[in-house]
Amino acid sequence: MSSEKSVLDLKKGEWAFIKSLDELDLTCRLMTMGVLPKAKVQMVRKSPFGGAIYLKINESGVAVRNEEAEHIIIEQ
Amino acid sequence: MTDTNRRAVALVGNPNAGKSSIFNQLTGLRQQTANFPGVTVEKKIGVAVLDKGTKVDIIDLPGCYSLYPNSKDEKVVLEILTDKNNPDNPDLIVYVADINHLERHLLLATQLHDLGHHMILVINMIDTLHEAVIPDYKALEKRFNMPVIAVSSKTGDHIEDLKLEIKKAINASPSKERKPFYVLNQLEDKTARTVANILDTENIYLANIIAHHYKWMPHLSAAQRINIAAEVKHQGFEDIRFQIQETMSRFNDIQPLTVRVLKNTKANDTADLTDKIDSILTNRVAGPILFFALMMLMFQAVFSWAQYPMEWIETGFASAGNWVRYVFGQGYFSDLIVDGILAGLSGVLVFIPQITILFLLISVMEESGYMSRAVFMFDNIMQKFGLNGRSMVALISSGACAVPAIMSTRTISNWKERIITIMVAPLISCSARLPVYALLVAFVVPQTSVWGIFNAQGLVFMGLYLLGIVSSLVTAYVFSLFIKSDSRSHLMIELPQYKPPIWKNVFYNVKEKVWAFIWNAGKIIMLISILLWFLASFGPSKNMQAASDRAQVEAGNLNLSADEKDNLEASYKLEASYAGILGKSIEPIIRPLGFDWKIGIALITSFAAREVFVGTMATIYSVGSTEDELSIKEKMMAEKRPDTGVMVYTPITALSLLVFYVFAMQCMSTLAVTKKETGSWKWAMVQLTYLSALAYLSSLFIYQVFG
């Protein structure tokens, strides 16, 4: 588990493909927002006071909290 | 407005799909807002004229991502669309999807398709396409086996075609041949078939959805619920895992379909611009600074620009009052109309400028896409106090007036965070406290400067505002420990591309908010205003007569002018009235705070609105006009306790009273709006009780410790 990287490990401006979503409860909600396996995800920036990040998923902007983002696992 | 014989069309789609714009395009001014029964979810209904003689009801359902709801709004949509007997169940669904997010927006469309709904698919925002791109709508039409119309809700392009298509569809029956997007797995299928029997439906997918949600769905009978529960348990039906499987499988179908429709061309050209704007507006340093600058502008607008129209309204009512007194003469009838009804009406209408300006600015922020950025930036800080990023905007606008601020919390989707925001909003000092602060601050400190630069009274003012801000955050935190949440708190918010606001939407939004306030809160404000008038004008007739006689005699002895005599009489009568009796009877309770019965009366009458305090003080000290602040001050300064001869308004009494006004819920309009927005008196009473207790205890502390 610890070897897997989440979108939180991306640096500002970096992108990757989503591998999986690893928390059942959040998965459904994230998927309806377009956060799907195989989608391209880019870390746009962190929120000014921390706690949340600005992502681009296939070109659409989505903001998620860190504790939500750590369940978005990316391909290495 | 709704006619039972008219066919009903429901607008369904994801949030930000442009549903409301299409609703406005279809219905124009023929629309109104209500709540769905039992929940505080907004229901917008209107009438569309399709062509001469053909009208349909349009209902704009709340934005919804899928048939697996995460919010109250989404639950309402699910309830309506899965229950044939629901009064809002439509004859036809007009499903709205944004062409820029076609893949995501088609998820719910495929689910509704599988539910067998009679449906038209509307592809919105085609104005954002490059001219060279011609999407293959036929591919959609073929797969969904339903009409597909491409429109622009912004420019109004093809809205007429949509009307014609609605007319055609509503008179036709839905195509029976549908190839489901999702084929149930074996276990789902087995469960769903039994559930379908229990529900007496032919649609297996509907049965499957009910098997997911039977626990909370209100339209099921107790027997159905028990039977479904037994079947679900027996089969080992896995709620969340099946839900994920289904969603994945649907996207597997949708992805190639959208590629075929859009031919892999990037549809939008505003993405780069949005990136550039966001690199400033959500920047670590510039973002918050610009946000606060914008909030200062908003505060300024509501606080000071609204003053002019508010004065016009007040002056207008004052002249109307004079006219009534001129036409009907002096007496209880004129008094009732002027001091009861007109005062109440003025108390309602005077808020309109503030509400209008605040919602104008908030709608522009919502429409342009900025609001979700503000939520993104401040979510973390506000979360620490049990609030939401959106609470920030509500609390700042509360500095002008809590009424529109509380109304603006509708955009907070988490119920707990919304309730807490509503509860603490009145703690932020609003503009109505200013006259009270201005009158009393002189008793606390003289007009001197501190360290040569600060004005002492200005510092007290600042202290009072800070006290409000700090206590709102602390109270929010305390509430967050006690209120149970009905759902897990999420951020997960879309950051849509920036676009200029559609002014038509802004207009309808503002108009709707103003009407909602006038009709719902207005009724309560009127009632309380008339009640307060009654209390202040009537008393036991013997006492009232005695008060009147006493004023006559004293005026004679002192050789007062006619005006002065009237003022003296008004003062004695107020003392003898029911309000006066109440004021005197609460004296033992407020004595420990340093207040006498005169302040008691003012506390009671200023429950209508805080600024009434100044007017009541003027009447009690028989000063004719409230404009004459100086003479009220002089009279108050001279006031001594009859028994001890000690000054009534010592600095500590005044400070105690000031702090009382920082906390106390002295505003019936706020109370009325809380009741309206939370849907019950319960929260309004919680608010009234805790704020009154807070006010009482703080004043008690100040007077007893420092007095």
Side-chain angles (χ1 to χ4, degrees), chain B residues 46-195:
Chain B
V47 177
V49 182
L50 301 178
D51 63 7
K52 266 195 209 104
T54 318
K55 287 181 184 172
V56 289
D57 285 334
I58 308 272
I59 170 164
D60 184 13
L61 292 181
C64 180
Y65 289 105
S66 86
L67 292 182
Y68 297 97
N70 281 299
S71 69
K72 270 188 193 170
D73 284 21
E74 290 185 310
K75 279 186 176 174
V76 167
V77 175
L78 184 60
E79 255 173 66
I80 291 172
L81 298 182
T82 55
D83 174 17
K84 280 247 168 331
N85 299 317
N86 189 298
D88 293 313
N89 188 279
D91 300 303
L92 174 73
I93 289 178
V94 170
Y95 187 90
V96 183
D98 177 352
I99 188 131
N100 301 299
H101 304 288
L102 196 56
E103 189 179 302
R104 222 175 345 131
H105 285 193
L106 282 182
L107 173 68
L108 178 60
T110 66
Q111 291 176 324
L112 296 175
H113 167 275
D114 291 0
L115 279 184
H117 273 287
H118 192 17
M119 215 162 130
I120 295 176
L121 204 49
V122 172
I123 308 300
N124 194 12
M125 321 238 184
I126 53 163
D127 54 291
T128 60
L129 289 178
H130 286 299
E131 271 176 40
V133 181
I134 303 165
D136 181 11
Y137 300 120
K138 284 270 177 275
L140 275 179
E141 217 157 67
K142 208 168 147 227
R143 180 60 189 91
F144 276 84
N145 197 11
M146 57 180 68
V148 174
I149 307 261
V151 306
S152 163
S153 59
K154 188 180 160 199
T155 61
D157 271 2
H158 301 294
I159 292 290
E160 289 305 315
D161 296 344
L162 172 61
K163 285 186 182 174
L164 284 179
E165 201 58 53
I166 293 175
K167 192 188 168 195
K168 237 183 1 195
I170 206 133
N171 292 316
S173 49
S175 61
K176 288 281 176 209
E177 288 167 47
R178 283 200 184 166
K179 184 177 145 227
F181 278 87
Y182 177 61
V183 182
L184 302 185
N185 70 33
Q186 233 181 351
L187 211 151
E188 281 177 311
D189 192 67
K190 250 169 118 183
T191 316
R193 285 191 190 279
T194 317
V195 174

Side-chain angles (χ1 to χ4, degrees), chain A residues 33 45 49 54 56 61 63 65, chain B residues 275 278 282 379 489 493 495:
Chain A
M33 308 273 307
R45 66 179 61 82
F49 303 101
Y54 183 155
K56 274 226 162 150
R65 286 186 187 148
Chain B
D275 287 346
D278 263 342
T282 62
D379 180 70
S489 161
I493 184 175
L495 302 171

